[in-house]
Amino acid sequence: MENKKIGVIYALFAYVLWGILPLYWKMLQHIRAEEILSYRIVTSFLFMVALLFIQKSWSTFLHTCQWLWKEKKQAVASVMAAFLISANWFIYIWAVNHDHMVEASLGYYMNPLLNVVLGVIVLKERLYKWQVVSFILAAVGVVFMTIEYGKFPWIALSLACSFALYSLVKKVIKVDATIGLTIETMFVAPFALAWIIHSFSQWHGPSFSLTTMVLLAGAGPATALPLLYFSKGAQHISLTVLGFLQYISPTLSLLLGVFLFHEPFTNAHMYAFSCIWTALLLFSLSSTWEKRREKSLNV
């Protein structure tokens, strides 16, 4: 029981940090999204390397790199994961700093549903009746928003698809979470560093302020810490509990977008979100019911 409580605390902390992370990117709104992403990748890699040294896991990291060199499928999966999470980070930073936080939160509400769709299609996982209903309801919400809002919600769907694909690829990779994140950032760090150097060579404006440089340097810890807390939480609590807790993050982002940054929340948004929220409630409850029923049948 004590481990479960610790797991819930870790997971809560991770989801709250993810929910308020837009506040961090808003402080860097004067910097282009691709530059923020580049610094985020490089500083995340440096932070993870430092963490490996502190945890005395550097030798394990090197052994894992040697193993990936031999296991080509695992290496390809790690590279795919690196570029998928980088794409997800870029879209989210761009969305937050261009006042699309409401649509970005919609994407993360849709994400668990897409996870299951990919699980059914790719991993041949079983889908329950009420889960099918929840997907149809979510699809109705997206279509309604597209028609009423006047444009396709590409930000929401891009975020949901990129993270769902990332989650799918991560299921294939048999690497410790901390080492896995280090390897993923290592793969894309050379591209990010090249972009930073290119940006400096083309920069003719005023130099970055000390505050801006500190914020860019802190992007690594801001990225890695919630991921590490999430990994620790996931070790001690069930996927069902994690499934319920994960809605904390997009809810906080939605509230920040509407009440703090005064983004529009129209009737189209309300109808679409109502469909998604109802779908998520059906999905979560049906998953819990089915697991309990299967457990009782196995007793």
Side-chain angles (χ1 to χ4, degrees):
M1 184 60 71
E2 192 64 30
N3 283 341
K4 285 185 179 179
K5 287 182 180 179
I6 292 171
V8 169
I9 291 170
Y10 273 128
L12 274 173
F13 198 44
Y15 284 122
V16 169
L17 285 175
W18 273 325
I20 62 175
L21 196 56
L23 296 173
Y24 196 94
W25 307 131
K26 280 287 187 183
M27 290 189 287
L28 289 165
Q29 199 167 13
H30 56 291
I31 308 295
R32 290 184 301 174
E34 56 268 29
E35 290 188 40
I36 299 174
L37 174 67
S38 299
Y39 281 98
R40 184 180 189 180
I41 291 169
V42 171
T43 55
S44 293
F45 174 62
L46 295 174
F47 178 81
M48 294 307 299
V49 168
L51 188 64
L52 289 178
F53 274 110
I54 292 169
Q55 295 180 342
K56 298 180 180 178
S57 302
W58 185 248
S59 60
T60 308
F61 170 73
L62 293 177
H63 285 309
T64 304
C65 290
Q66 291 171 355
W67 176 75
L68 284 175
W69 183 257
K70 296 174 184 176
E71 297 288 335
K72 301 302 181 187
K73 287 184 179 179
Q74 290 286 309
V76 169
S78 295
V79 171
M80 288 175 62
F83 282 97
L84 282 168
I85 196 62
S86 297
N88 181 270
W89 288 349
F90 172 76
I91 296 165
Y92 189 70
I93 293 168
W94 186 93
V96 167
N97 286 352
H98 285 79
D99 301 322
H100 294 292
M101 204 182 299
V102 170
E103 190 176 338
S105 66
L106 176 64
Y108 286 108
Y109 278 121
M110 293 163 58
N111 175 248
L113 299 173
L114 278 180
N115 280 341
V116 178
V117 169
L118 287 175
V120 171
I121 295 172
V122 180
L123 303 177
K124 309 301 179 185
E125 293 178 353
R126 185 181 174 187
L127 193 62
Y128 303 113
K129 179 180 68 176
W130 285 106
Q131 289 177 333
V132 174
V133 174
S134 70
F135 294 132
I136 295 171
L137 193 57
V140 168
V142 173
V143 171
F144 186 86
M145 185 173 175
T146 302
I147 295 170
E148 291 294 318
Y149 197 49
K151 65 176 184 178
F152 189 72
W154 69 268
I155 295 171
L157 284 170
S158 297
L159 285 170
C161 288
S162 59
F163 202 76
L165 287 169
Y166 174 73
S167 301
L168 178 65
V169 172
K170 290 290 281 184
K171 278 185 172 289
V172 178
I173 302 170
K174 299 177 178 65
V175 175
D176 171 77
T178 305
I179 291 174
L181 182 58
T182 310
I183 289 170
E184 287 163 23
T185 51
M186 178 184 71
F187 280 135
V188 287
F191 301 98
L193 185 60
W195 184 262
I196 291 171
I197 293 170
H198 170 74
S199 298
F200 268 115
S201 67
Q202 300 295 316
W203 183 255
H204 300 295
S207 301
F208 289 164
S209 67
L210 178 61
T211 303
T212 298
M213 293 304 297
V214 169
L215 287 171
L216 288 171
T223 297
L225 284 175
L227 279 170
L228 294 173
Y229 282 122
F230 171 78
S231 298
K232 286 180 178 291
Q235 291 172 357
H236 299 293
I237 56 179
S238 68
L239 286 175
T240 304
V241 176
L242 274 177
F244 280 108
L245 292 177
Q246 70 181 336
Y247 304 127
I248 293 172
S249 176
T251 301
L252 287 174
S253 296
L254 174 63
L255 293 173
L256 286 174
V258 174
F259 294 106
L260 185 61
F261 299 109
H262 307 294
E263 291 186 16
F265 193 78
T266 63
N267 287 335
H269 282 106
M270 178 57 73
Y271 296 141
F273 272 88
S274 296
C275 287
I276 299 291
W277 288 330
T278 306
L280 288 172
L281 183 61
L282 273 175
F283 169 75
S284 300
L285 290 175
S286 66
S287 299
T288 305
W289 290 333
E290 291 296 337
K291 284 176 182 177
R292 285 179 180 174
R293 188 176 69 84
E294 288 178 358
K295 193 175 182 180
S296 64
L297 290 174
N298 292 330
V299 172

